[in-house]
Amino acid sequence: MSEYAFGRPIGKIIHGGDYNPEQWLDRPDILEKDIEYMKQAGVNEATLGVFSWAMYEPREGEFHLEWLHEIMDRLYENGIYTILATPSAARPAWLDSKYPEVMRVDDMGIRRRHGLRHNHCMSSEVYREKVGIINRKLAEEVGDHPGLLAWHISNEFGGECFCDLCKAKFQDFLRKRYNGDIEKLNHEWWATFWSARYSDFSEVEPPYANGQIAIMGHKLDWRRFTTWNYADYTRSEIRAIREGSKKKDVPITTNLMKRFYDIDYRVLAKELDVISWDSYPLMHNDWESYEDTMIEGAFDHAIMRGLRKDKPFLLMESCPGSVNWSEYNKLKRPKVHEQFSLQAVACGSDSVQYFQWRQSRGAWEQFHGAVVSHLGTNDTRIFREVAHTGETLKKIAEVEGSTSRSEAAIIFEWENWWAIDYSGGFSGKTKKYDTTCQKYWEALMRRGIDADIISVNDDFDGYKLILAPMLFSVRPETAEKLKAFVEKGGILLGTYMTGYVNENTLCYEGGFPGAGLKELFGVIAEEIDTLYPSDKNAICMTEDKCFSVRDYCEILRVSDAEVLGKYKDDFYSGTPAITCKKNGQGKAYYQAARILPEELVGFLDMLISDAGIKTRELPSGIEWHRRVGADATYDFYLNLSEQDVTLSGLNGIDLVTGETINGNVTIPGRGNLVVKTV
Amino acid sequence: MSEYAFGRPIGKIIHGGDYNPEQWLDRPDILEKDIEYMKQAGVNEATLGVFSWAMYEPREGEFHLEWLHEIMDRLYENGIYTILATPSAARPAWLDSKYPEVMRVDDMGIRRRHGLRHNHCMSSEVYREKVGIINRKLAEEVGDHPGLLAWHISNEFGGECFCDLCKAKFQDFLRKRYNGDIEKLNHEWWATFWSARYSDFSEVEPPYANGQIAIMGHKLDWRRFTTWNYADYTRSEIRAIREGSKKKDVPITTNLMKRFYDIDYRVLAKELDVISWDSYPLMHNDWESYEDTMIEGAFDHAIMRGLRKDKPFLLMESCPGSVNWSEYNKLKRPKVHEQFSLQAVACGSDSVQYFQWRQSRGAWEQFHGAVVSHLGTNDTRIFREVAHTGETLKKIAEVEGSTSRSEAAIIFEWENWWAIDYSGGFSGKTKKYDTTCQKYWEALMRRGIDADIISVNDDFDGYKLILAPMLFSVRPETAEKLKAFVEKGGILLGTYMTGYVNENTLCYEGGFPGAGLKELFGVIAEEIDTLYPSDKNAICMTEDKCFSVRDYCEILRVSDAEVLGKYKDDFYSGTPAITCKKNGQGKAYYQAARILPEELVGFLDMLISDAGIKTRELPSGIEWHRRVGADATYDFYLNLSEQDVTLSGLNGIDLVTGETINGNVTIPGRGNLVVKTV
Amino acid sequence: MSEYAFGRPIGKIIHGGDYNPEQWLDRPDILEKDIEYMKQAGVNEATLGVFSWAMYEPREGEFHLEWLHEIMDRLYENGIYTILATPSAARPAWLDSKYPEVMRVDDMGIRRRHGLRHNHCMSSEVYREKVGIINRKLAEEVGDHPGLLAWHISNEFGGECFCDLCKAKFQDFLRKRYNGDIEKLNHEWWATFWSARYSDFSEVEPPYANGQIAIMGHKLDWRRFTTWNYADYTRSEIRAIREGSKKKDVPITTNLMKRFYDIDYRVLAKELDVISWDSYPLMHNDWESYEDTMIEGAFDHAIMRGLRKDKPFLLMESCPGSVNWSEYNKLKRPKVHEQFSLQAVACGSDSVQYFQWRQSRGAWEQFHGAVVSHLGTNDTRIFREVAHTGETLKKIAEVEGSTSRSEAAIIFEWENWWAIDYSGGFSGKTKKYDTTCQKYWEALMRRGIDADIISVNDDFDGYKLILAPMLFSVRPETAEKLKAFVEKGGILLGTYMTGYVNENTLCYEGGFPGAGLKELFGVIAEEIDTLYPSDKNAICMTEDKCFSVRDYCEILRVSDAEVLGKYKDDFYSGTPAITCKKNGQGKAYYQAARILPEELVGFLDMLISDAGIKTRELPSGIEWHRRVGADATYDFYLNLSEQDVTLSGLNGIDLVTGETINGNVTIPGRGNLVVKTV
């Protein structure tokens, strides 16, 4: 498949976002102003129809799509593409009123009422049928429109339904998963515990909040089912589009969300032609620095990038002002909008898109930031910042289609995340699987290594260093892959809480890490100590070089690994805490306790060096990313600080100014630099 | 209508409260003691029957009202009036058991069970019918009793019901409000957002917690409906009383509550002949000083006073000891009871009433403070304090019927309160509309200005200064009234968050404050910055004179106003923050950021001076109020401190001692002084 | 009845615990290892079948008990007894699926779904019938097995059901309690308040969360009903066992829990032959010291010991590692396991038992500590600690059957606990009845007095000192008993909040403490001040000797008692706070305010001295308990500190080493000493 986000080069970085002209159909003056302002802002795309069902079909079977066609025409005439959403994300009132089964049932078994959005029963055949009808109508109406850039399925999938339809579908899912053998399920769920054995699949229920919530295998399978059901539903939407439209190759996406827990995005990603997501970081908050917020956002981009490594992704939504739903909705300070936008591109996005173009006059998001505010003019600070970004994006348009590559990877796995969280034991306050992975990624970033975020199912070839933090749930195949990676020369890091359970959360017997990993690392974790926040310990490599540890300390038995670091305190003082075992050409490191994030990089230096990965010393405050195209390389330098920062030893072309760089470049506070080298 | 609370002079300040003799009908010795002790305590009123339904009608259709008649007789023979409650506030078990529809349905659609009180479906015709029957019986039995001072409808209205009866009634309410045109509703609710459009009124539901909670217009109309339904219900109770009773002019009240959110009291007040309310401040708590608690209580009185400015109100309930429902139920310290009681009178109450006369032996409020405790004697500290207050009230009886007048007013509006709270955006933690109004009121009090609390629908004539903090939701008519007020010479203050939305929460387009207010103030608020608690800024009038600001900072465009103060810090440092524009004879001030409460008065001095309102310098710790009668003026000085405070320059008569005052008077710690001048 | 836990001497301290071989029936290698390891660990007992219903009866009416019989045989052949649980604590899925009435209904009236455990409707006849069938089968199969040591009914009873069956049964319970007279109920519940009167028992509902929750008598009777229903249910289980088994004298127990609120254990205890309980203290936490955790555990043992003072109890469950359900699941430090185990024996247990023998591979408790971990071997730290404890228990086997005796007692009463908690008033944050009793117990422990925890229904003979903290709810009979105790020479302590209400929570009229106690103590509490946490006061006995007080201060009238201490501060400064009145041969002390726990012992010294109870000076860090057998006395010294501690003046035999002691003995940090004297 092509490396381009839309399957073909567009010749620009997409700049646009959600546009809801149906709120203003009685105001042609405003619709006209919109086009004028879009052009002023360098907007070249509009995402239409995300919540338009009730306008398309105000009463069952009565369709009004002509306004959409007209808007798309007018946009296209003005050089503005359309990404067209299917309208399934919010149901019209008549649908709920007539077919209550389309409304979700909560985890206490109570059916929701009409209202809000994103709360359909994904199993309901009625819902799927009605969505299919409107999707086909849309595809027939505008499916081959020349301005149609992509289809956008529904919106921000999430949540779950506990209705009887979902129960039956879950039972079918389990029947297939366990080959119709209830005893297999009883074994994998270890259901003999607390007499939880089933005599038939028909007795199995979803994990109701007032029902069975003590079986981790049950809960994990429920998440797998939910993921599968979303993917299955997505296929049903796509089918209707493809049936209705003459043009069959318009790419399809749906907008994903930050660190989203409910759905294994890697499974859902298989249904999509291009990955897109919505990013809403809370800038200038009171619990972390601006730099911290930005770097966390970069990690989130890395996750999205990793879902489809072969092509750029899209930043489908972001807020050009402040959001309206956070505890404190603070304004973005000047220059932050452009830096945030360029960061997305630097991390692999081929678009910068907003929710939304124009603020809604009423209802929930009326105070959510937008390009055009209630003031309704183009002479606002925010409009100017957006327009400036539009200019910049035009200047760097050639990065389109280029992608990122890394020699280092961090394993981040949805099923593992769930397995850790569902496990009884440890501490519900400090498991923090996802932020733990983030902290490892950030530590590598401090050495100029923009690591990939990968799945255990991804190809490990091409990586020199793999970090696998807290890989609690491990399949035997995964263990084999990790062994092979090390044998062939890879450097691997395993940590506390590795290999405790199999893919159904059954514990490995005979010593953790299980599935053969104890042989790979040469250690067994006999016990794991869960620390209170006030408890502290350290791992000392030498008397002078110690790393502070918190939260978790495994007590190791070392069979045939080299002991590199030992505990400093407590009753296991002096016992092994960091080990390394050579396997074939590579090495398997084991880190038995949680090192403080700010001290991690000091520990990882050893592994980076072993892996022979080039590091890059960056001045404080500079965030760096690289995109590699067919003919050129693009280095992005974001100055996150408010002071000028001078970079030295640069060569290439400043892509924004077009000037040649040779030596030092000073980037002003919160300024950015894109350097092209051929 | 007369200026007297009960429509005629009574010749005394009412001193009494809730009396529940039905709990002691088998104890004639106790009933006898009650009369004896009431007389000792200077009690001249008893509120009867608040929760007596099950005694009146133990089984459906079986009535026992003779005991009430006897009690009223005996009280009256002993000089004690009755305020008679209708018993609808708590339903007998047989009613719930036989007619479940009378029990409220919660916001998840689950019907409540029998128990507690104040939880009826106000829409239920069965409930209204059964209440009507017992009300008529009461009116027939004692409606023309000479001791009957007033009717007291039900008790402390509040809460809401989500049953199908209420749903249907809500739909009817909306049909009327929107003239049967669902498209009008769709527009005002901006329902195109998230596809929330209705095709028919029959699809609209109450804002169920698990339904539609994202449409602010919907929620606001629900509050309007709830308010209307309470008023409608109140009319149905009054109708039954008037039908049953030969005497048609006995005044009617219901007891209101502190800063009560559910109901727009101004709408409900229209049904009442006299305003009464229940005040239960938590004295001596650990989050504020005694002075703060008292001054907040004075503001609450001012709200009540403002509901009917033509006559005194009643303090219908208060606790002579400590309540039983707070987190820590601390005793009131000596002298506090009398000071609290006199404060009520000072603020415009013609009564001091208690819940309750005698502690209940059992059930929820058995440890709620009462005049007569479980000890059962008159020689307790609390009894003595109550009796002392009874004496004092006798001495100041002539203040009856006098009222308060102010040249300053603060707008406080229920619909605005709801609109602010329902709005997405800003910060759910810091909106604080009601306490913001309170802080302005307190700032004026520090200059001896006891401002009125008014509605935008009130007459603005007679005021020289109007403060309109956070008038977020503004109707065009209101904007016109404010303009006219300024034109005619008034001094007006508007603040951040003014004029953002119309009465249905639709944003004004073209610049905030909308509805013409941007012309009045000469400013447009382009952006509003919501600060975290750790964020600080200031407004400087000169280099040396700055006011600290928190929470909200609007960034202004000034068209034709004078800039008086500018921001000190952040990216909008140096931009306008306080402005003033002359309009006709008056001035419109705009304050763009939230000034710390303790610094407010320093800012307001400018406006007070412009308005030409006389200030009054009071020694620290002294709270002052004035009541004006037909022939005399009464100044109340409460010494909130524990030290002696000397007032100078006083002239008049000490109403309690009868002595003439000429010059200095020393009020002992927590003592009080009432000065009459003719 | 015999003093032996099992009705006959076993010749050993039981060492064992929950064993779930049904999880491993397909792993004969593991079952074999279990026996081998049990013997190595000195395990002589296994608790079987706690959650085995679904294995016994996988489908309704299909029974498989042969595996149990085989396991019991094999255990017995290897010297290991069985305590056999009835399997009613967790229902098989088929039962819930076929008979939904067996699933509990929550306090909102919503029926639970299948899952978890301990959530049956105890009123359901279907559930009782099905439990009866499986119990009889078990009794027939293994009821006369020579290895059967005891029956263990269900598991950790608790919680409540609000279904219609329970409602009807509750109504029946009330009919009996109030002799079918609804007016009696109305009076005792003081139902005239808030019109809560019932016209018939059929109108009374359980205290639904969305129903009646304001009547304390109602709530208290609901707790009484729940307790009665558990006892009634227990009888039904026992009946089935006795019917099915030829051997009728196998003792019966059920496992109780720490400070368990739902059930009055004294009522339930009457159905049991021996008391057993499950102890899971959170060692090494971050809110208290290890010493504090241990001493609290000792108090908990004292409660259990007090349920049946004639014989030892059993520690039915404890965790040999760390639990899996606490906020932070920290490891037990070395030597803690043995000290915790010996503490149980020291306090009167004749067993040390674990949950569980071997960690489950999956489901909720897979990471709960067990003797054999997932590693599966005997060479772990925890296995070694357990095996060491097994050795120690063998050495001290002769303590079997010995019991504790004390001359001091503290009254702790479930009904009083409920009455205090349900009462409105005071502070919901600081009532703390159970920990208040604990703090008195700990204060006595500091003087070497291991007081009994008794009920007001227990025999007071033999006690010289009785402390009755916060005896809020008092029956007249109890007051009479306390008077008689003092008359005969006893020293009694009453405190603030004594005698406020009768057994149905009706207040005593005429002065607290009521029921005649005001004459006994010679005081009346006119008011009670509830303090905020920041409020402080003190009671001074002399100018130099003061005790800090917090939370509650009663203001006393003293009629004829001696005033020993007075308040230092606040408006009641100088008024009486500690009094003493001689009655006959004894004294009644009254303590009007809550003295800080750490200062309590200084106050109690006076009472201890009056009572003539011998104190025992113990070095810091040493916990002491004594068990008295027919022929010898056993003193247990636990060194809770981490340092060596030397005890002097000891005489006897070190029961573990067999060596003679004469003079000084040094106990190492966290070591223990058992001294036998004849």
Side-chain angles (χ1 to χ4, degrees), chain B residues 359-372:
Chain B
Q359 287 191 307
S360 304
R361 262 198 86 187
W364 182 241
E365 295 185 320
Q366 71 185 145
F367 293 114
H368 192 289
V371 181
V372 180

Side-chain angles (χ1 to χ4, degrees), chain A residues 596-615:
Chain A
L596 277 184
E598 53 270 32
E599 302 182 25
L600 256 185
V601 68
F603 162 57
L604 294 178
D605 277 339
M606 195 167 38
L607 287 77
I608 295 167
S609 165
D610 275 356
I613 297 180
K614 189 174 157 293
T615 60

Side-chain angles (χ1 to χ4, degrees), chain A residues 23 54 90 93 112-114 116-117 324 327-331 333 361 363-364 366-367 374 379-381, chain B residues 109 190 194-195 203 210 212 214 216 424-427 429 505 507 509-510 526-527 529-531 535 557 570:
Chain A
Q23 294 177 12
R112 288 186 46 82
R113 311 273 176 160
H114 171 70
L116 301 182
R117 53 174 183 167
N324 75 321
E327 207 170 27
Y328 298 90
N329 294 289
K330 195 168 172 178
L331 292 176
R333 269 48 194 156
R361 260 198 86 187
W364 183 240
Q366 71 186 144
F367 295 113
H374 294 293
D379 65 342
T380 63
R381 178 177 75 96
Chain B
W190 208 250
W194 285 1
S195 220
E203 289 164 7
N210 61 350
Q212 185 55 281
M216 287 82 79
F426 320 108
S427 164
K429 301 267 186 190
T505 74
C507 278
E509 298 290 313
E526 182 181 318
E527 297 187 76
D529 199 18
T530 299
L531 306 185
D535 294 328
R557 301 167 176 219
D570 221 316

Side-chain angles (χ1 to χ4, degrees), chain B residues 310-321:
Chain B
D310 56 337
K311 56 162 67 168
F313 62 90
L314 305 175
L315 174 63
M316 182 59 81
E317 291 184 20
S318 66
C319 182

Side-chain angles (χ1 to χ4, degrees), chain C residues 539-606:
Chain C
I539 298 174
C540 293
M541 313 297 279
T542 64
E543 208 170 293
D544 296 335
K545 191 182 176 191
C546 299
F547 304 113
S548 308
V549 303
R550 298 284 186 282
D551 300 342
Y552 297 105
C553 294
E554 281 180 345
I555 303 176
L556 297 187
R557 303 170 177 216
V558 176
S559 50
D560 59 345
E562 187 185 357
V563 176
L564 302 177
K566 297 178 175 179
Y567 285 111
K568 184 159 173 283
D569 296 318
D570 221 317
F571 76 89
Y572 37 90
S573 166
T575 68
I578 292 179
T579 64
C580 179
K581 180 178 170 187
K582 288 189 187 157
N583 292 266
Q585 305 299 309
K587 291 180 179 179
Y589 282 87
Y590 195 85
Q591 171 201 338
R594 181 175 284 173
I595 295 173
L596 278 185
E598 53 271 30
E599 301 182 25
L600 257 185
V601 67
F603 162 58
L604 294 178
D605 278 339
M606 196 167 37

